[in-house]
Amino acid sequence: MTARGTFRNAVEAKDLAAITSALDPGIEFHSPVMVKPYLGRDSVTALLGVLLEVFEDFRYTDELVGTGPSSSPHPPPFNGRTPLGGPVGDVA
């Protein structure tokens, strides 16, 4: 498990190793511009490495945080999906 905000902090620091460690090994990243999802930590890490180079001034403007019951004070590792099960974010 990762502490709340770990993925966001890693992205903002452009720390690919920290981003990778925050990802669930079975991640499915559904891109709004690709037909098939990126499957697995290695595939998603490769994609995010490219995105870190392309989006120079990336910044968070908001963050969704679940409020449902949990057996842990920390959320599970980021799995590439929103709490409602849809893909994360839109690419403009």
Side-chain angles (χ1 to χ4, degrees), residues 24-89:
D24 185 277
I27 186 170
E28 291 185 16
F29 186 89
H30 295 260
S31 169
V33 296
M34 299 297 292
V35 174
K36 293 184 179 182
Y38 292 86
L39 302 176
R41 186 183 281 167
D42 292 341
S43 177
V44 173
T45 295
L47 170 66
L48 294 177
V50 171
L51 295 178
L52 286 175
E53 293 178 24
V54 172
F55 294 105
E56 296 174 4
D57 296 323
F58 177 84
R59 64 185 167 85
Y60 279 89
T61 59
D62 204 352
E63 186 171 6
L64 297 175
V65 178
T67 59
S70 173
S71 60
S72 169
H74 305 293
F78 180 67
N79 67 4
R81 299 189 74 68
T82 66
L84 300 176
V88 174

